[in-house]
């Protein structure tokens, strides 16, 4: 039994057999806002054509029916996949809502933005309880029982309507420039006081060595996002700057209205006042924030270690000896800090009820990616297209706009699969550095109690779901426009505008999840 305790404590148990990541994936789309890509005409009449909608478009072009990757899978499954993608500039959530309204849906899709709950509530999703063991046995076995229980808890009838993402390691981590620490003669900070001293040294001692007073000790993005490390010290559950749900005072609570959050805001406001936190944080759009880090201006930040390759390459054009390390969460007396981890429950694949006649084929296609026998193909794809063989060893080729995109349907990540990805993605001299960052983050990570909370708890309260009220109060308190006392006003407004009802629903959901585990 894969129980919650295996996830909650530092030093997690890696109990699930590793399976490698699928190669690059694609978006899919719909209706007038959709580029349907290649013709769906099968090259073999015995193949069943399955339309696949998948978010996150990578470099490359959509494959045609006679593409080698498409045909390799079709020959082994009898299923020919047809990728579709949202047109350039289109919004995937909007596109999916148009699909739902029109009834023109793909055969299998990756829902985003709570679309899965829309389909479930409208009786538009296909229940998979009986179909998964029959047509996707590898998938069924690899997804732990606890994950299936959380999926069941997200539906009113307790049925499985989607396949969940499984992510057994922390995706995000606090990072710090080790070369800057060396330049100012300080060790890796372990306490909040030491961290503040480091930030002061970054601000005042020219660690980037360009002779200009342009260093930014730490930074965040507009709406107060992507500075989770500053809140993590106080045990605040945050996900890209948005409060999550965890246990406070013995109950499942929205972290945004807790005393922990109030205390963290005091700290963040103090950093801002001393210019230790980028004073443009609440103005930084993503590309500006990224440019500051890439231009050798930022000493400490919070992001995805798996995306560090291009960032480090940019930094090293200005600072060739740059080294990035994972920063342990600095301790604060009276609090248990942690890196927020969400590992199960997020919807990854679902089948619309209108596509029930293709369900068997869709699940066979999906099961191909969960079959250990296909591990090598899933990892490397087609020789000459996705990989080449050098000295007898397969090496992934960089994608370009003319490379046919190979479908990846596996989002099932362990420490082992991430290690493989790092070894394939990063230059040899950076592999251990990135593995070490994940190791540090893993040691500090904690799976929050609200992992898998369904978006249906927010039904009727879109402003609570969007965190807009929290972001308004956070930004104005931190920059000094409002006094700290306004936080109590925020808590009252949040509860009265729907937060109390959402909390009730969230706690009921949590009790339901707990009942499955008994």
């Amino acid at each position: 039994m894969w129980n919650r305790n295996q996830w909650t404590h530092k030093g997690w148990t890696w109990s699930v057999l590793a399976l490698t990541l699928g190669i690059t994936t694609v978006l899919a789309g719909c209706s007038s806002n959709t580029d349907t890509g290649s013709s769906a005409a099968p090259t073999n009449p015995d193949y069943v054509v399955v339309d696949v909608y998948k978010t996150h478009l990578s470099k490359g072009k959509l494959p045609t029916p006679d593409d080698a990757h498409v045909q390799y899978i079709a020959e082994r499954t009898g299923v020919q996949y047809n990728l579709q993608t949202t047109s350039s500039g289109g919004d995937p959530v909007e596109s999916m809502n148009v699909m739902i309204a029109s009834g023109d849906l793909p055969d299998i899709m990756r829902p985003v933005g709570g679309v899965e709950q829309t389909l479930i509530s409208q009786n538009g999703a296909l229940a998979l309880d009986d179909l998964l063991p029959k047509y996707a046995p590898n998938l069924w076995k690899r997804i732990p029982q606890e994950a299936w229980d959380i999926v069941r808890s997200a539906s009113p009838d307790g049925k499985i309507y989607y396949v969940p993402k499984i992510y057994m390691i922390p995706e995000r981590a606090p990072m710090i420039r080790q070369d800057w620490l060396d330049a100012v003669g300080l060790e890796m900070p372990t306490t909040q006081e030491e961290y503040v001293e480091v930030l002061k040294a970054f601000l005042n001692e020219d660690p980037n060595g360009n002779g200009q007073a342009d260093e930014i000790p730490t930074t965040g993005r507009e709406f107060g996002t992507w500075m989770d490390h500053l809140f993590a010290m106080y045990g605040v559950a945050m996900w890209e700057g948005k409060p999550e749900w965890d246990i406070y005072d013995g109950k499942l609570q929205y972290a945004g209205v807790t005393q922990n959050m109030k205390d963290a805001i005091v700290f963040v406001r103090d950093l801002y006042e001393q210019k230790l936190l980028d004073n443009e944080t609440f103005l930084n759009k993503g590309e500006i924030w990224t440019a500051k880090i890439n231009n050798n201006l930022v000493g400490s930040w919070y992001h995805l270690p798996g995306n560090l390759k291009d960032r480090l390459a940019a930094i090293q054009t200005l600072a060739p000896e740059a080294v990035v390390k994972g920063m342990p969460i600095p301790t604060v007396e009276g609090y248990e800090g942690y890196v927020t981890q969400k590992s199960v429950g997020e919807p990854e694949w679902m089948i619309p009820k209108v596509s029930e006649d293709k369900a068997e084929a869709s699940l066979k296609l999906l099961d191909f990616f969960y079959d250990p026998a296909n591990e090598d193909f899933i990892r490397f794809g087609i020789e000459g297209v996705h990989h080449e063989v050098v000295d007898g060893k397969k090496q992934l080729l960089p994608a370009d706009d003319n490379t046919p995109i190979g479908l990846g349907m596996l989002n099932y990540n362990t420490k082992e699969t991430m290690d493989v990805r790092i070894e394939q993605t990063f230059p040899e001299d950076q592999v251990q550095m990135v593995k070490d960052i994940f190791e540090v983050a893993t040691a500090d990570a904690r799976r929050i109690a609200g992992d898998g909370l369904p978006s249906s708890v927010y039904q009727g309260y879109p402003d609570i779901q969007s965190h807009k009220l929290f972001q308004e109060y956070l930004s104005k308190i931190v920059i000094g426009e409002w006094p700290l006392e306004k936080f109590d006003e925020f808590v009252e407004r949040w509860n009265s505008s729907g937060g109390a009802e959402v909390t009730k629903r969230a706690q009921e959901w949590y009790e339901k999840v707990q009942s499955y585990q008994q």
Side-chain angles (χ1 to χ4, degrees), residues 167-425:
Y167 217 109
M168 295 175 63
I169 58 176
E171 299 173 72
R172 295 146 176 81
M175 289 175 275
I176 194 166
R177 288 283 296 274
Q178 179 63 51
D179 54 312
W180 280 28
L181 285 172
D182 295 340
V184 300
L186 293 174
E187 300 293 327
M188 180 72 72
T190 60
T191 67
Q192 184 185 85
E193 292 78 12
E194 291 174 353
Y195 182 61
V196 171
E197 289 306 308
V198 164
L199 297 183
K200 288 178 179 178
F202 285 175
L203 180 66
N204 299 315
E205 298 183 26
D206 191 30
N208 68 10
N210 67 3
Q212 303 178 37
D214 56 1
E215 286 86 353
I216 300 169
T218 192
T219 185
R221 276 161 50 171
E222 58 183 342
F223 308 116
T225 59
W226 288 109
M227 53 182 188
D228 299 18
H229 58 301
L230 304 180
F231 298 91
M233 303 179 202
Y234 289 86
V236 175
M238 295 285 275
W239 193 256
E240 299 180 11
K242 299 179 180 66
E244 284 288 339
W245 296 76
D246 204 5
I247 302 298
Y248 299 94
D249 298 325
K251 297 181 294 184
L252 187 70
Q253 300 285 342
Y254 177 65
V257 297
T258 62
Q259 183 65 40
N260 300 58
M261 176 62 79
K262 185 175 183 179
D263 295 341
I265 290 175
V266 172
F267 172 60
V268 175
R269 184 182 62 172
D270 187 52
L271 294 182
Y272 184 92
E273 185 178 355
Q274 298 181 66
K275 302 189 185 305
L276 302 179
L277 170 64
D278 184 2
N279 276 196
E280 294 180 344
T281 283
F282 295 99
L283 303 175
N284 285 336
K285 293 188 178 298
E287 61 272 16
I288 296 173
W289 178 85
T290 297
K292 288 179 176 181
I293 298 173
N294 290 1
N295 286 328
N296 192 33
L297 298 178
V298 180
S300 170
W301 67 91
Y302 188 90
H303 206 235
L304 305 167
N307 290 0
L308 191 57
K309 180 184 176 183
D310 292 341
R311 173 155 299 151
L312 189 59
I315 293 171
Q316 289 180 338
T317 62
L318 298 169
E321 303 303 318
V323 175
V324 179
K325 291 284 187 72
M327 184 181 74
I329 297 295
T331 60
V332 179
E333 187 176 355
Y335 300 89
E336 184 180 348
Y338 60 88
V339 171
T340 295
Q341 173 65 12
K342 295 198 292 185
S343 299
V344 303
E346 285 189 65
E348 188 65 19
W349 292 105
M350 70 187 311
I351 297 175
K353 186 173 284 189
V354 296
S355 298
E356 185 172 4
D357 62 331
K358 295 279 189 76
E360 177 180 345
S362 295
L363 291 174
K364 284 183 177 179
L365 175 65
L366 183 56
D367 197 57
F368 174 89
F369 291 89
Y370 283 79
D371 186 344
N374 301 320
E375 178 178 333
D376 191 70
F377 176 77
I378 293 168
R379 185 188 306 179
F380 293 106
I382 301 296
E383 183 177 357
V385 179
H386 304 113
H387 78 269
E388 62 181 354
V389 179
V390 179
D391 297 329
K393 183 179 179 181
K394 293 181 180 179
Q395 295 182 1
L396 290 174
L397 293 168
D400 58 40
D401 292 336
N402 295 315
T403 302
I405 301 171
L407 172 65
M409 300 186 78
L410 180 66
N411 202 344
Y412 183 97
N413 301 292
T414 67
K415 179 182 183 299
E416 292 84 357
T417 61
M418 183 56 72
D419 283 347
V420 169
R421 178 183 175 187
I422 292 168
E423 290 164 3
Q424 294 173 352
T425 304

